[in-house]
Amino acid sequence: MKATAGNWSPDEENVYFIASSTGNLDNDSHDHILIAVNEIMTEGGLDVIKRFISEGKSVLLDSGIFNLTNEHVRKHGVTMDQALALPPDEIDGFDKLYKRYREIIDEIGDKVWGYIELDQGGRENKIITRQKLERTGCRPMPVYHPLNDGWDYFDYLAKRYDRICFGNIVQADRPTRLRLIHTAWERKKKYPKLWIHLLGMTANQWLLALPINSCDSSSWISSLRWGTLNAPAANAPFSNMASEYIYRRDVPTDHPGGWDKANALCAYNAHFRQEVWRSALRDRREHL
Amino acid sequence: MPLRIKQMATNALKPYERNANVHPENQIRQIANSIREFGFNNPILVDADGGIIAGHGRYEAALSIGLEKVPTVCLDHLTDEEKRQYIIADNKIAQNAYWDERMLASELQLLNNNFDLMGFEEGEAETLMLENIDTSDMPDTMEDTIDKGSLLQLTSVAVGEPKNKVFHGQHWKLGGSHDLLIRSVISESQYWRELLFDNSMFCPYPNPLTALSIKAESYHLLLVQPDTYIAGHMLDQYEAVKGTGSVVLIQ
């Protein structure tokens, strides 16, 4: 069994990571954050992450492959699946991303909660890249793509690693997504110590029934993007908040009704998604 | 055989008594809103006696808003058995389609309004968009209104230990109307089930903002939260916005 790197604890309760840019994540209301390498290509960006770590935040480092393939899709007019399937040496910018990924891991790899592998090019290429990283002392979390890899590869990873990520399920429609999570939950029973992280998945009502260990999403920041903020119950959409809870754009960002406060309220709402998730699972464990 | 649209009196239509496709009250309301907004564009399919073959939801919606006549198409070429098969087929086959969620989200992003009219529950469209759209390309669609930010200013965003200390078994009243029970959702319903009234909305495992949401203005919320940390924050948040004394310990 290979131990993936990071300062995580297998005994930790379920975790919801909020994903975004460093600017959006710079608040005190939730302490589990996911940041992708493409967001910290500069030393200034990395300094912000170091500050987050010094403030006690748990940082999950994403490789930035999703952004890389998206850029390739836009530039070359191929589909996301086609771009993801390309070997690393055929996708624009892989070498630059790999170099930056290594630099960041060398600096903070043992201080983050974990880091996700460079999951480019299908299972064979993912294995090659991961083994290359492992030979140099990196211990990334492997990514399993249920829509592409075959369930035998899930077992391959589950037998070898303490943590794996479920990738790309956001590409699937909702019924398929739910079915994949169901299947993952059933399969996980064979590997009770395996930690599964769902990439791009909000801690929603599904995960009260299928309590996979952790997840992340960027949807926590809805009021800043859409001008709507939903208050959930049991982590399902319940009711929107009135427009008086949405920030004003005609005032400085640090105004009491401005962007900074709205950002913090989004993170606060996300923090309580995680706490509600944990609360519901504890209630079930104790009373069912 | 050409199909002709004929206006028929709603009281001349007869719902199929063995119709297995159930239309919840909320869906009837959505159909009625759609008819009001877009018009009655999808005729009800009937047999020669006015028996409804397809369109039971539209029929109920028409009744709910007092329409005396509705457009119909008579399918008098079907045998009785074919009618019964078609009543099921019309609904079942429609269910076999699925959404291209990225395309749907993209469309919703452009429309960005009236999601309820399109049949979405509150928050559903926003969630769909957030999960399916690359937000780096997103246009800024928010419009400022004069009241924006006024309640945001009052909210608490601190996540340390709550000021209000709560304990298992307590019953709190919020704003004189909503009930917060610090109880198990699963095994202690005997303590809260009698607090559900006609105008109640049951909110298991609420988060601190739930009692301040729009629905809280028109419904009685029964909030059951076994976690004292979350419940304490719910009280802190409510007091921060509604003022000191807005939360009261009942027992």
Side-chain angles (χ1 to χ4, degrees):
Chain A
M1 177 67 70
K2 292 181 181 177
T4 54
N7 56 13
W8 72 294
S9 164
D11 299 324
E12 194 168 6
E13 289 186 279
N14 302 63
V15 182
Y16 173 42
F17 289 88
I18 54 175
S20 197
S21 62
T22 50
N24 290 341
L25 294 169
D26 199 358
N27 61 66
D28 297 326
S29 298
H30 189 49
D31 58 3
H32 285 81
I33 62 174
L34 179 142
I35 189 89
V37 168
N38 54 284
E39 297 284 351
I40 42 175
M41 294 301 275
T42 64
E43 286 311 301
L46 184 55
D47 286 344
V48 176
I49 300 303
K50 288 177 184 170
R51 174 166 62 80
F52 288 165
I53 292 168
S54 71
E55 290 168 353
K57 289 185 190 294
S58 293
V59 176
L60 175 56
L61 187 68
D62 193 9
S63 66
I65 286 294
F66 186 74
N67 181 67
L68 193 75
T69 47
N70 258 315
E71 285 182 356
H72 195 92
V73 165
R74 285 178 197 161
K75 189 173 172 187
H76 298 282
V78 297
T79 66
M80 190 68 181
D81 279 347
Q82 287 169 331
L84 270 173
L86 288 172
D89 56 2
E90 291 182 24
I91 191 154
D92 300 343
F94 183 85
D95 290 344
K96 185 181 173 191
L97 183 69
Y98 184 95
K99 182 169 176 288
R100 184 61 180 156
Y101 178 84
R102 278 307 318 255
E103 287 170 357
I104 292 169
I105 287 170
D106 286 346
E107 279 210 52
I108 60 170
D110 58 342
K111 299 182 182 69
V112 295
W113 187 85
Y115 47 87
I116 299 167
E117 72 171 343
L118 290 144
D119 53 325
Q120 178 62 40
R123 56 193 271 183
E124 300 311 320
N125 284 301
K126 286 189 288 189
I127 290 171
I128 291 168
T129 305
R130 190 183 326 124
Q131 287 176 343
K132 183 178 165 188
L133 286 167
E134 287 172 347
R135 278 196 298 274
T136 58
C138 291
R139 290 175 291 131
M141 294 165 69
V143 182
Y144 169 69
H145 292 95
L147 296 168
N148 308 88
D149 290 340
W151 286 102
D152 61 318
Y153 187 57
F154 176 91
D155 291 319
Y156 170 91
L157 294 173
K159 285 173 188 163
R160 287 168 175 76
Y161 291 90
D162 58 355
R163 287 188 296 179
I164 64 170
C165 298
F166 239 58
N168 223 12
I169 51 174
V170 75
Q171 300 285 336
D173 57 68
R174 286 177 86 80
T176 306
R177 224 177 292 168
L178 183 55
R179 180 172 54 77
L180 290 171
I181 299 168
H182 261 286
T183 309
W185 180 245
E186 287 304 313
R187 289 234 160 196
K188 182 174 154 50
K189 289 176 183 169
K190 273 173 66 183
Y191 311 98
K193 291 186 177 172
L194 176 68
W195 185 288
I196 296 180
H197 178 85
L198 295 173
L199 288 165
M201 181 81 197
T202 302
N204 65 14
Q205 70 272 27
W206 295 353
L207 299 188
L208 267 56
L210 305 164
I212 300 236
N213 306 84
S214 58
C215 61
D216 71 83
S217 73
S218 57
S219 64
W220 63 281
I221 206 161
S222 66
S223 80
L224 301 181
R225 289 175 175 164
W226 298 107
T228 59
L229 178 64
N230 191 269
N235 280 354
F238 173 69
S239 174
N240 284 344
M241 304 297 288
S243 63
E244 290 93 330
Y245 290 93
I246 307 303
Y247 78 102
R248 287 174 59 182
R249 292 180 306 167
D250 60 341
V251 294
T253 59
D254 60 354
H255 181 278
W259 190 94
D260 293 351
K261 185 68 180 288
N263 175 262
L265 186 64
C266 285
Y268 171 95
N269 205 25
H271 171 74
F272 282 101
R273 263 190 188 278
Q274 174 183 277
E275 297 308 308
V276 163
W277 191 14
R278 292 173 171 181
S279 163
L281 295 179
R282 276 196 300 272
D283 196 24
R284 195 168 87 178
R285 268 198 308 273
E286 289 166 13
H287 297 284
L288 275 185
Chain B
M1 184 179 62
L3 298 175
R4 287 193 311 155
I5 297 174
K6 178 185 171 190
Q7 294 290 330
M8 284 185 71
T10 45
N11 61 15
L13 300 179
K14 299 170 201 148
Y16 180 48
E17 59 190 16
R18 290 178 55 80
N19 180 30
N21 194 43
V22 179
H23 297 278
E25 192 178 323
N26 191 40
Q27 193 207 17
I28 299 299
R29 182 186 58 77
Q30 289 173 332
I31 297 171
N33 288 342
S34 171
I35 291 169
R36 279 202 196 97
E37 181 73 15
F38 305 120
F40 207 119
N41 302 320
N42 192 359
I44 294 173
L45 307 184
V46 296
D47 62 20
D49 298 323
I52 297 175
I53 296 172
H56 285 85
R58 298 191 289 284
Y59 166 74
E60 287 186 46
L63 291 180
S64 75
I65 55 177
L67 293 185
E68 293 179 358
K69 287 188 173 180
V70 291
T72 65
V73 169
C74 182
L75 305 182
D76 54 6
H77 61 287
L78 298 178
T79 66
D80 282 350
E81 189 174 346
E82 285 171 338
K83 272 191 290 185
R84 294 173 70 173
Q85 289 170 341
Y86 190 70
I87 286 169
I88 294 171
D90 183 63
N91 292 301
K92 183 67 183 75
I93 293 170
Q95 286 177 346
N96 294 342
Y98 65 91
W99 290 102
D100 177 337
E101 293 197 348
R102 288 180 174 264
M103 185 66 77
L104 176 61
S106 175
E107 277 291 285
L108 293 174
Q109 180 193 7
L110 294 173
L111 298 166
N112 200 33
N113 206 347
N114 289 338
F115 300 134
D116 179 58
L117 267 181
M118 291 181 264
F120 291 90
E121 298 294 334
E122 194 161 355
E124 187 184 1
E126 288 86 352
T127 302
L128 185 85
M129 289 190 287
L130 285 162
E131 289 179 352
N132 288 281
I133 290 176
D134 178 1
T135 52
S136 60
D137 289 338
M138 196 173 289
D140 193 345
T141 52
M142 283 194 286
E143 290 175 16
D144 271 348
T145 56
I146 199 157
D147 55 358
K148 273 198 176 153
S150 58
L151 293 178
L152 172 63
Q153 296 188 39
L154 304 176
T155 57
S156 163
V157 292
V159 293
E161 276 305 304
K163 291 177 198 155
N164 277 290
K165 302 295 177 202
V166 304
F167 299 96
H168 177 82
Q170 286 183 335
H171 176 184
W172 291 77
K173 206 82 177 170
L174 280 66
S177 56
H178 307 305
D179 291 290
L180 170 62
L181 279 291
I182 321 299
R183 293 282 185 184
S184 166
V185 172
I186 291 168
S187 65
E188 296 185 309
S189 64
Q190 68 273 26
Y191 295 102
W192 45 260
R193 62 184 169 225
E194 289 177 6
L195 297 168
L196 282 168
F197 314 115
D198 283 349
N199 192 41
S200 295
M201 296 202 78
F202 178 49
C203 300
Y205 310 116
N207 100 349
L209 294 176
T210 310
L212 293 165
S213 65
I214 291 171
K215 280 186 183 160
E217 293 165 16
S218 11
Y219 293 93
H220 159 251
L221 303 189
L222 174 57
L223 308 143
V224 182
Q225 177 52 265
D227 186 274
T228 55
Y229 169 75
I230 302 170
H233 272 282
M234 174 167 269
L235 298 174
D236 286 1
Q237 189 67 266
Y238 202 86
E239 274 193 315
V241 173
K242 301 285 187 182
T244 307
S246 59
V247 300
V248 176
L249 179 63
I250 301 293
Q251 65 178 46

